[in-house]
Amino acid sequence: MNFSEVFKLSGLLCKFSPDGKYLASCVQYRLVVRDVNTLQIVQLYTCLDQIQHIEWSADSLFILCAMYKRGLVQVWSLEQPEWHCKIDEGSAGLVASCWSPDGRHILNTTEFHLRITVWSLCTKSVSYIKYPKACLQGTTFTRDGRYMALAERRDCKDYVSIFVCSDWQLLRHFDTDTQDLTGIEWAPNGCVLAVWDSCLEYKVLLYSLDGRLLSAYSAYEWSLGIKSVAWSPSSQFLAVGSYDGKVRILNHVTWKMITEFEHPAAINNPKIVVYKEAEKSPQLGLGCLSFPPPRAGAGPLPTSESKYEIASVPVSLQTLKPVTDRANPKIGIGMLAFSPDSYFLATRNDNVPSAVWVWDIQKLRLFAVLEQLSPVRAFQWDPQQPRLAICTGGSRVYLWSPAGCLSVQVPGEGDFAVLSLCWHLSGDSMALLSKDHFCLCFLETEAAVGTACRQLGGHT
Amino acid sequence: MGDWMTVTDPESKTISQHTSETKMSPSSLYSQQVLCSSIPLSKNVHSFFSAFCTEDNIEQSISYLDQELTTFGFPSLYEESKGKETKRELNIVAVLNCMNELLVLQRKNLLAQENVETQNLKLGSDMDHLQSCYSKLKEQLETSRREMIGLQERDRQLQCKNRNLHQLLKNEKDEVQKLQNIIASRATQYNHDMKRKEREYNKLKERLHQLVMNKKDKKIAMDILNYVGRADGKRGSWRTGKTEARNEDEMYKILLNDYEYRQKQILMENAELKKVLQQMKKEMISLLSPQKKKPRERVDDSTGTVISDVEEDAGELSRESMWDLSCETVREQLTNSIRKQWRILKSHVEKLDNQVSKVHLEGFNDEDVISRQDHEQETEKLELEIQQCKEMIKTQQQLLQQQLATACDDDTTSLLRDCYLLEEKERLKEEWSLFKEQKKNFERERRSFTEAAILLLKILGRSLLGIRHSSTVSRYGVRRQCNQGYICCLKRNILNSGIFKNIFILDWFGWV
């Protein structure tokens, strides 16, 4: 694994272009576009205010930079650096901004979610969508970019509207049987829309593309409900993570639960591999002074190495006792992600924040558990193969694959605290983001490793 | 004085008759007196007087009486004697006093006796009474004990019920607690959301106020250098009814494609599963059918059904393969036949298990059944043999290598050499025989070729001579030269062809 040098960054805004050739990053009010292979600066744009959000258009030709405080969106072109576009929402304010799948329309959500304005870069037309719902995931586009689903709320009732992205025509408009809709998401095949309710009621509704209700699923009543939802890339499964610490998998044929995955703090099955991260004690040379060992409360040693040890079953993981009288308690399944081949599902139980559970979907059972030394901040699957990258806010990045796992220290002077990470679409490299910097990590592909071995063989 | 009872004595005569017959001693008479004390006195009057004292033994009886009375403490019956030898005179007064005393005593005794008798009777009745009381009390005790046991039993049952109710109560309390917790968490969530909404509402109010107050507001507009073309290069189209219809069509097409794709997948899966089932069925049939060939002692009816099933299923197989459709009947047939076969197989396996257990019990009578131990022993033996053979081969290899590598002593080397020579000799002999054969063949060929060559030469010679004779000198010379050239050519060719390697022949021709 090779690491690039460290570059400046602000706001964790670092995105690869959809075609994988460029990397856009923000430093305060400047947008820097680099080439992915050489990391040379290709373009440098200056915006009018501190950038809060950047997004590439789907064809990798344009980048939008949103400045919510000023209510401005600026769009830059990669092909024509002198081209500029500025959208001022003025008194309407701006809380969110995103591209449409064709890369020629920008959807701005005004303050208080009063309306969504659809600005066109091709024509002078402007469209308005009223009453969008102010929820976590109110708009979702199909993978092929044809349709957009939007959650709305009128007269204390939830509705979903389906628009055709090519001409913004309203295709379907139907109400949903939810108390307070929190999120909607298209299945990767673009034919089914999953709609789920807020955590006060466990309800998942599945609608077909033409607005028919296919199925409604509710696991239990009264206790806090759904926390996270994820579709499998093959559209065969819908994983629903809830506050009771279980993930329920629904299948696409009957839309009924086929299994539920529990996340207990104690693991007894010997077939499961449990990786525990352990600090490697630093080797002291004979001539070195032996420093007094650091105090227990001093925090993790910044430059110490760590490795994974396989813990023998039964294992009990560290749990966090949540404060019961606060809203949004830290219990339940907060993070869910399927691997790109749908073979694995990675989950995090917020009760046990340092552990990542990896489930085998073929056999529908727990495959491996990784326990880190600090709470897991983010994990993301490699877009090409079942390889999971995890970061915990320390200066290490962790990689897991069915063959094993490893922990890599990010080199560099000082403490590079990895707060987030982002894979390149080819799976060859990964961007590691910290508060003020980012660096690129290049992973050896199998082909590269193979040629290296062959070369070695040739020499000897 | 006591109560005198006048009792008629019908039996007195008989008694007196009985007692007058025997002459009894005074002591025995006294004991009889005691025994007869209960009998009223009037009865005994006659008997006593006649029995104890008679005309003969007056003195004796007086002395006896005196003795008895003095022992009882009465004064003596005799008068005080003046001298030792004078006969003592009977003191009548004393006698009368004694008699009176005795009568008084008798009366007292009778009284006492009566008292005692009444007391006896009283005591007897008391005893009866007490006994009846005792039995009654015993019964009461029994009944009360039984009652107690019954009450204890009821008490136990009630305690059990009490415990159960306590448990239920605890469960209910736990559930109530849980529900209360849920309500509490929901309440906090609601409150939180409410507060958030209220904050948003307040902000909205503020903004609205601001907007109302603020007359000139910033212009909402987009400032763009030039408009960009569409991603797909086409021009934008108006939104009409046609486009709406087109969009609907597209949507339905997408949905249908997805459904068709899924249906295809499911059909493929079904076909595969059906294939697997068919295969399973075939294998099961093949497993079961060889059984009918082996004559077993414990053949029962199932083999008959197996045979019939095999025939049936063969027919079914052909039918099913013909109709490879997903119709209900075919599917049902397949599953039913699989179930049937499976049942037969199961029963067969069970039978085998029973047989195995029976064999273990009875001993190893069946030839086909080899006990596990024997089998293991055999395998061990075979392994040992293999080991030994391997070792032998190794040692032999080593020896061979030694022979080849190191120098041995002369005898062995000469022997070896001889061996090698022998081998060589043999080989050479063979080659020699081969060579001889080849030689023979060659000679034959040679002879045939020489004959052919002689013939050819003769012809040539004749033809050449003919030419010589007929031509002139120059021509002859030329001809000769030509002929010689021809002959040389011929010679060369024949020599080159290598037929006539034999020098003898060439000599004979005069060419060498």
Side-chain angles (χ1 to χ4, degrees):
Chain A
M1 265 167 88
N2 295 324
F3 287 88
S4 72
E5 60 180 273
V6 166
F7 302 103
K8 272 201 184 302
L9 185 74
S10 68
L12 294 180
L13 293 169
C14 175
K15 298 230 169 98
F16 284 103
S17 68
D19 61 359
K21 288 197 204 146
Y22 303 105
L23 175 66
S25 59
C26 286
V27 186
Q28 299 295 328
Y29 55 91
R30 280 208 201 92
L31 176 69
V32 182
V33 180
R34 291 169 198 275
D35 180 85
V36 153
N37 296 320
T38 61
L39 288 178
Q40 297 286 339
I41 295 180
V42 172
Q43 297 285 357
L44 181 65
Y45 306 101
T46 311
C47 294
L48 295 169
D49 194 17
Q50 181 151 26
I51 304 170
Q52 262 99 40
H53 176 70
I54 59 168
E55 194 172 325
W56 284 92
S57 67
D59 52 5
S60 305
L61 293 176
F62 298 97
I63 307 174
L64 77 76
C65 303
M67 291 144 268
Y68 297 145
K69 288 197 202 111
R70 287 274 294 267
L72 282 172
V73 173
Q74 279 187 281
V75 188
W76 304 102
S77 161
L78 225 60
E79 291 177 319
Q80 300 172 331
E82 63 280 3
W83 187 89
H84 65 270
C85 171
K86 184 176 73 157
I87 300 171
D88 191 347
E89 286 290 342
S91 47
L94 186 67
V95 292
S97 179
C98 67
W99 281 103
S100 73
D102 63 357
R104 297 293 178 269
H105 294 85
I106 293 175
L107 287 89
N108 283 346
T109 310
T110 58
E111 214 169 349
F112 307 116
H113 284 82
L114 277 177
R115 61 168 191 243
I116 292 182
T117 321
V118 183
W119 298 93
S120 168
L121 294 178
C122 324
T123 67
K124 288 189 190 169
S125 63
V126 181
S127 314
Y128 296 102
I129 303 175
K130 273 166 87 172
Y131 309 116
K133 179 111 200 250
C135 57
L136 290 168
Q137 212 174 315
T139 55
T140 171
F141 294 97
T142 55
R143 208 169 262 198
D144 55 8
R146 276 176 197 268
Y147 302 105
M148 175 180 95
L150 176 74
E152 297 176 8
R153 192 164 175 101
R154 268 171 232 249
D155 300 326
C156 305
K157 266 180 78 66
D158 292 317
Y159 296 88
V160 169
S161 299
I162 300 181
F163 293 93
V164 182
C165 289
S166 53
D167 53 7
W168 300 108
Q169 183 217 326
L170 177 66
L171 190 67
R172 286 285 187 277
H173 180 80
F174 51 91
D175 67 327
T176 61
D177 186 19
T178 50
Q179 295 288 336
D180 185 13
L181 200 156
T182 313
I184 55 174
E185 192 168 342
W186 285 107
N189 66 4
C191 295
V192 181
L193 181 70
V195 171
W196 62 94
D197 212 336
S198 74
C199 59
L200 288 170
E201 181 148 349
Y202 193 125
K203 195 181 266 189
V204 166
L205 298 161
L206 290 138
Y207 289 94
S208 163
L209 176 58
D210 58 347
R212 285 176 299 128
L213 175 66
L214 294 172
S215 165
Y217 175 72
S218 172
Y220 51 80
E221 281 190 300
W222 306 123
S223 293
L224 292 178
I226 299 173
K227 198 164 187 184
S228 55
V229 171
W231 280 101
S232 81
S234 60
S235 304
Q236 284 174 311
F237 304 108
L238 179 67
V240 180
S242 48
Y243 277 89
D244 64 345
K246 292 193 193 163
V247 174
R248 291 176 175 86
I249 309 273
L250 310 180
N251 76 90
H252 73 307
V253 179
T254 60
W255 299 116
K256 293 219 188 326
M257 180 186 89
I258 48 174
T259 184
E260 53 183 35
F261 293 147
E262 281 192 7
H263 294 73
I267 297 163
N268 292 317
N269 191 340
K271 281 194 203 157
I272 298 164
V273 186
V274 179
Y275 296 97
K276 261 197 155 100
E277 189 194 358
E279 294 273 349
K280 259 196 241 178
S281 54
Q283 307 278 345
L284 292 172
L286 286 170
C288 291
L289 293 168
S290 60
F291 292 100
R295 285 173 287 125
L301 299 168
T303 53
S304 67
E305 296 277 304
S306 82
K307 60 178 167 56
Y308 277 109
E309 288 174 347
I310 295 183
S312 60
V313 156
V315 173
S316 82
L317 305 162
Q318 274 185 317
T319 53
L320 194 69
K321 187 102 197 321
V323 184
T324 46
D325 58 348
R326 292 250 190 91
N328 299 323
K330 278 200 175 8
I331 53 174
I333 311 299
M335 290 159 84
L336 271 183
F338 273 98
S339 69
D341 53 3
S342 299
Y343 277 16
F344 296 103
L345 172 68
T347 64
R348 188 188 84 149
N349 183 358
D350 295 345
N351 262 9
V352 189
S354 312
V356 175
W357 271 266
V358 181
W359 304 84
D360 182 346
I361 296 296
Q362 272 188 312
K363 306 219 181 82
L364 288 178
R365 62 174 182 82
L366 183 59
F367 190 75
V369 177
L370 286 86
E371 194 181 7
Q372 315 297 126
L373 291 168
S374 5
V376 169
R377 277 191 72 100
F379 54 74
Q380 203 182 27
W381 287 99
D382 180 336
Q384 301 295 332
Q385 48 176 301
R387 195 159 53 164
L388 183 68
I390 303 168
C391 69
T392 63
S395 56
R396 290 185 281 267
V397 67
Y398 307 94
L399 282 169
W400 176 89
S401 80
C405 60
L406 64 101
S407 121
V408 186
Q409 175 85 14
V410 177
E413 71 293 337
D415 192 7
F416 186 97
V418 182
L419 297 177
S420 176
L421 48 85
C422 163
W423 283 92
H424 185 258
L425 77 95
S426 65
D428 288 337
S429 57
M430 188 161 62
L432 305 170
L433 318 179
S434 84
K435 190 155 158 287
D436 299 315
H437 298 94
F438 78 95
C439 76
L440 235 64
C441 162
F442 296 93
L443 296 136
E444 284 168 1
T445 53
E446 285 179 12
V449 167
T451 49
C453 288
R454 261 180 272 126
Q455 277 173 358
L456 275 172
H459 281 304
T460 55
Chain B
M1 288 293 203
D3 304 325
W4 294 91
M5 278 184 282
T6 51
V7 177
T8 52
D9 47 342
E11 298 165 300
S12 58
K13 271 194 186 165
T14 49
I15 292 169
S16 61
Q17 277 178 1
H18 175 70
T19 48
S20 62
E21 280 172 10
T22 52
K23 264 199 178 171
M24 287 180 274
S25 60
S27 58
S28 61
L29 280 168
Y30 177 67
S31 59
Q32 204 182 29
Q33 259 179 329
V34 169
L35 284 169
C36 298
S37 64
S38 58
I39 302 167
L41 202 60
S42 53
K43 267 195 197 171
N44 292 339
V45 165
H46 304 291
S47 53
F48 276 146
F49 291 142
S50 55
F52 175 61
C53 183
T54 57
E55 306 285 322
D56 312 324
N57 57 351
I58 291 172
E59 290 291 331
Q60 287 153 340
S61 36
I62 290 170
S63 64
Y64 172 70
L65 280 171
D66 182 53
Q67 269 180 16
E68 292 289 315
L69 284 168
T70 45
T71 50
F72 275 118
F74 287 98
S76 166
L77 288 176
Y78 290 119
E79 281 180 0
E80 284 182 19
S81 58
K82 291 172 187 152
K84 276 190 197 166
E85 288 179 5
T86 53
K87 199 175 156 199
R88 287 198 290 186
E89 290 289 330
L90 191 64
N91 193 349
I92 305 283
V93 173
V95 168
L96 286 169
N97 283 338
C98 286
M99 263 173 62
N100 188 35
E101 288 294 323
L102 285 170
L103 279 168
V104 165
L105 257 168
Q106 174 72 353
R107 266 186 226 117
K108 269 196 222 159
N109 287 337
L110 279 174
L111 255 167
Q113 195 186 315
E114 270 177 36
N115 289 340
V116 164
E117 274 175 11
T118 49
Q119 213 172 20
N120 203 4
L121 280 170
K122 268 192 221 156
L123 285 172
S125 65
D126 278 343
M127 182 79 98
D128 288 334
H129 176 69
L130 282 171
Q131 269 201 348
S132 63
C133 281
Y134 170 71
S135 53
K136 262 191 239 147
L137 287 171
K138 226 164 104 169
E139 273 172 35
Q140 266 181 11
L141 183 68
E142 268 305 308
T143 49
S144 54
R145 214 176 266 156
R146 256 180 260 130
E147 239 181 77
M148 195 178 77
I149 289 172
L151 287 170
Q152 265 183 352
E153 181 61 36
R154 226 179 63 176
D155 178 53
R156 193 184 61 78
Q157 276 176 359
L158 286 171
Q159 271 198 356
C160 221
K161 217 163 121 182
N162 192 21
R163 243 179 287 132
N164 287 345
L165 287 171
H166 269 292
Q167 189 64 36
L168 279 171
L169 181 66
K170 199 165 86 88
N171 291 345
E172 289 298 317
K173 276 198 186 145
D174 285 340
E175 219 177 291
V176 162
Q177 188 65 37
K178 204 169 67 157
L179 286 170
Q180 276 180 344
N181 287 343
I182 288 169
I183 289 171
S185 65
R186 284 175 79 84
T188 47
Q189 194 74 27
Y190 277 131
N191 288 337
H192 174 84
D193 283 338
M194 272 283 279
K195 284 199 190 111
R196 199 159 41 92
K197 287 202 156 67
E198 188 148 355
R199 263 181 250 129
E200 180 120 358
Y201 172 65
N202 285 334
K203 266 200 279 178
L204 195 57
K205 268 208 297 196
E206 285 289 325
R207 173 56 74 90
L208 189 59
H209 186 75
Q210 220 179 42
L211 284 172
V212 164
M213 287 296 136
N214 195 357
K215 287 299 164 185
K216 58 173 174 136
D217 56 347
K218 292 180 266 180
K219 197 162 163 236
I220 300 169
M222 175 165 81
D223 168 30
I224 190 168
L225 184 66
N226 56 280
Y227 285 103
V228 189
R230 278 166 63 102
D232 49 3
K234 295 192 205 143
R235 288 160 64 135
S237 52
W238 295 102
R239 229 189 276 171
T240 58
K242 237 202 311 192
T243 54
E244 279 184 29
R246 203 168 21 97
N247 284 332
E248 289 270 336
D249 282 341
E250 291 259 344
M251 179 187 80
Y252 283 121
K253 250 188 251 176
I254 289 170
L255 275 175
L256 280 171
N257 282 339
D258 180 62
Y259 279 126
E260 273 174 16
Y261 172 73
R262 268 201 264 153
Q263 203 209 0
K264 234 188 285 176
Q265 297 275 334
I266 288 172
L267 271 173
M268 271 187 348
E269 224 182 287
N270 270 359
E272 271 184 42
L273 288 170
K274 249 196 261 190
K275 242 191 283 173
V276 167
L277 279 175
Q278 296 253 8
Q279 213 178 14
M280 245 174 56
K281 200 176 79 163
K282 266 187 228 155
E283 278 175 21
M284 275 202 271
I285 290 169
S286 64
L287 255 180
L288 292 170
S289 54
Q291 299 305 321
K292 67 179 181 186
K293 288 181 191 154
K294 277 193 216 165
R296 296 195 74 97
E297 296 146 23
R298 304 168 192 80
V299 161
D300 41 351
D301 300 332
S302 66
T303 49
T305 52
V306 164
I307 298 164
S308 60
D309 279 335
V310 164
E311 287 164 5
E312 261 180 51
D313 287 325
E316 271 179 25
L317 271 173
S318 58
R319 250 183 293 147
E320 280 161 17
S321 55
M322 258 178 17
W323 302 346
D324 197 13
L325 307 162
S326 61
C327 46
E328 281 283 325
T329 46
V330 172
R331 193 158 34 97
E332 272 179 34
Q333 268 174 12
L334 180 59
T335 46
N336 285 339
S337 61
I338 291 250
R339 275 201 206 110
K340 225 190 327 179
Q341 293 299 325
W342 179 249
R343 251 180 266 135
I344 293 168
L345 187 68
K346 211 167 63 159
S347 62
H348 187 69
V349 166
E350 275 166 15
K351 254 185 266 131
L352 283 174
D353 276 338
N354 289 340
Q355 279 173 18
V356 164
S357 58
K358 269 192 213 159
V359 160
H360 274 294
L361 292 171
E362 290 167 12
F364 313 121
N365 297 327
D366 211 348
E367 286 175 356
D368 294 335
V369 175
I370 312 167
S371 81
R372 195 191 174 83
Q373 285 169 345
D374 274 358
H375 180 76
E376 278 175 5
Q377 277 172 13
E378 282 287 327
T379 47
E380 275 175 21
K381 255 190 273 170
L382 288 167
E383 272 173 17
L384 265 169
E385 271 184 50
I386 289 169
Q387 202 66 27
Q388 284 168 1
C389 292
K390 271 193 199 163
E391 277 167 23
M392 250 201 316
I393 291 168
K394 250 190 247 172
T395 47
Q396 281 178 358
Q397 249 185 343
Q398 278 173 2
L399 283 169
L400 250 174
Q401 276 179 355
Q402 273 176 11
Q403 295 297 336
L404 292 170
T406 63
C408 334
D409 38 297
D410 289 337
D411 292 338
T412 47
T413 42
S414 60
L415 268 170
L416 280 169
R417 232 185 295 127
D418 282 344
C419 293
Y420 289 143
L421 284 170
L422 271 168
E423 268 191 58
E424 287 268 349
K425 264 194 209 163
E426 296 281 318
R427 226 183 328 116
L428 284 168
K429 264 192 208 156
E430 280 174 28
E431 278 184 10
W432 188 251
S433 58
L434 239 160
F435 176 72
K436 271 195 201 153
E437 266 189 57
Q438 276 181 358
K439 211 166 102 172
K440 269 189 224 149
N441 290 338
F442 280 138
E443 267 189 53
R444 239 184 293 126
E445 275 176 18
R446 205 192 337 114
R447 254 184 241 121
S448 59
F449 277 127
T450 42
E451 280 167 19
I454 288 165
L455 254 169
L456 196 63
L457 279 171
K458 276 188 191 156
I459 293 165
L460 258 173
R462 275 195 221 112
S463 61
L464 282 170
L465 282 166
I467 294 166
R468 226 194 297 169
H469 283 307
S470 60
S471 64
T472 57
V473 176
S474 63
R475 257 196 279 152
Y476 172 70
V478 168
R479 289 259 168 185
R480 197 156 47 94
Q481 276 177 4
C482 288
N483 291 338
Q484 272 180 351
Y486 279 135
I487 290 168
C488 283
C489 273
L490 199 62
K491 242 203 272 181
R492 224 183 298 126
N493 284 337
I494 290 169
L495 276 170
N496 286 343
S497 71
I499 295 169
F500 301 114
K501 275 214 179 143
N502 199 332
I503 296 171
F504 169 67
I505 299 293
L506 295 169
D507 227 0
W508 190 81
F509 273 178
W511 285 352
V512 179

